Amino acid sequence: MSEPPVPIVGGTGKLGYGLAVRLAAAGVPVRIGSRRAESATDAAERVRDVVDDADVDGAANAECVGGAPLVLMTVPFDAQAATLKDLEEALQPGQIVVDTTVPVAATMGGKPTRMLGVPQGSAAEQAQELVPDGVRVVSAFHTVSADELGDLEVELDEDVLVCGDDREAKQALAALVDRVPGLRPVNAGRLESSRLVEGLTPLLIGINIRHRVSAGVRITGLSESRW
Amino acid sequence: MSEPPVPIVGGTGKLGYGLAVRLAAAGVPVRIGSRRAESATDAAERVRDVVDDADVDGAANAECVGGAPLVLMTVPFDAQAATLKDLEEALQPGQIVVDTTVPVAATMGGKPTRMLGVPQGSAAEQAQELVPDGVRVVSAFHTVSADELGDLEVELDEDVLVCGDDREAKQALAALVDRVPGLRPVNAGRLESSRLVEGLTPLLIGINIRHRVSAGVRITGLSESRW
């Protein structure tokens, strides 16, 4: 039986495209989701342009999540609530939603080096509040540069900090991350710790602006991922 | 002329002791401060126990800061305000105070993996509000394990994220950090960004508890410190 595709909701954006490229290159089947199915199939085409044997297609967001054990969601913060509302019927108990959202102030016209305060504490906790009961949210990919993910000539060598309240859900994502060469999943604690990890994004954006780099993060002193 | 000693206010605690050990081992003269001069001289003795030719002595907090261009402050969050109040007369315009404080909830009996909300936004910004006019606060050393600093057998290999509004003050601290083998100073932006860096401490504490390590942080994609 062939492996089911990993849906990437909002996969036409930079982070979604970057993840699609890296996953496809690692042999993971991918289904890009977008509000418009046509944009999604266009994005799938762009992934095939850079990954020869990519197993990737596109569909409307709600169609692409059906039945998938794990759903990646790569929409900007100002689209998070609306997107999850659109997926209300499509998402089923037991599914895992991987939220990558960061409430950078730039979303609301502020600075990219600043964070908005989110009533729930973090974008990830807001996502957990918005998904149907029984859907488990984990958060990840806050510190990985979308540009570097999308450019296969860049050799990755950094960590992906994963937060969540469900150990099994975190492990499922960790297994997926482990398939991408150069990315190491690190258990960063409960979902509430996502507020600490989300804060790394505006910090790295500042470093990127000052040094004209695409910075990432590595936790030192950890010899292995130990999941 | 001999180099003036670097004061470490609250240097009898674990972080202060660790910094004293590393700086002394790097040939930097150090003056440990404590509320009680006797505790400070005891701590200086402990530094000399592990660093043979350490140039280190101890004094009461207010006495040790006089005239030093750069003052390290390593008190816990619940002692920060009182300590700065005690130093009100001793600190002079032009001096740099390096705040290492992190408002972990454990300070108030909560979890060490959680942060307290600070009205000013961060411990560093609170420090800036409390020092006399003309004293410049930078923040640093939030992510470096006190235990690893204090154990010279541990080879360090991690970054020190430095926040502050005064470029010259940050560079002065960066020059000091650069003298410690295995520590790289990274410009982490303005003082308000300290709230993002301070959040790394409870995150690393969680990783330390789960994996029984002394984790630190490294920013990837930066080839050099570039100050």
Side-chain angles (χ1 to χ4, degrees), chain A residues 111 113-115 157-158 161 163 167 170 186-190 192-193 196-197 199-200 202-204 207 210-223 225-227, chain B residues 111 113-115 157-158 161 163 167 170 186-190 192-193 196-197 199-200 202-204 207 210-223 225-227:
Chain A
K111 291 190 182 182
T113 53
R114 283 179 167 167
M115 286 272 274
D157 182 23
E158 58 192 282
L161 305 179
C163 298
R167 189 165 181 79
K170 286 197 281 190
V186 171
N187 184 350
R190 296 184 68 86
E192 65 164 50
S193 296
L196 309 173
V197 180
L200 284 168
L203 189 71
L204 292 175
I207 290 173
R210 272 189 301 284
H211 297 303
R212 299 180 193 200
V213 295
S214 292
V217 158
R218 190 128 188 118
I219 304 297
T220 65
L222 272 183
S223 51
S225 68
R226 304 207 207 172
W227 282 78
Chain B
K111 290 189 182 182
T113 54
R114 283 180 167 166
M115 285 272 275
D157 182 23
E158 59 193 281
L161 304 179
C163 298
R167 189 164 182 78
K170 285 196 282 190
V186 171
N187 184 350
R190 296 184 69 86
E192 65 164 49
S193 295
L196 309 172
V197 180
L200 284 169
L203 190 71
L204 292 175
I207 290 173
R210 271 189 300 285
H211 297 303
R212 300 178 191 201
V213 294
S214 292
V217 159
R218 189 125 188 122
I219 304 297
T220 66
L222 272 183
S223 50
S225 68
R226 303 208 209 171
W227 282 77

Side-chain angles (χ1 to χ4, degrees), chain B residues 159-174:
Chain B
D159 289 341
V160 174
L161 304 179
V162 181
C163 298
D165 290 334
D166 185 286
R167 189 164 182 78
E168 189 195 66
K170 285 196 282 190
Q171 283 171 329
L173 176 62

Side-chain angles (χ1 to χ4, degrees), chain A residues 96-116:
Chain A
I96 300 162
V97 169
V98 181
D99 184 55
T100 65
T101 312
V102 177
V104 282
T107 322
M108 298 295 160
K111 291 190 182 182
T113 53
R114 283 179 167 167
M115 286 272 274
L116 297 169

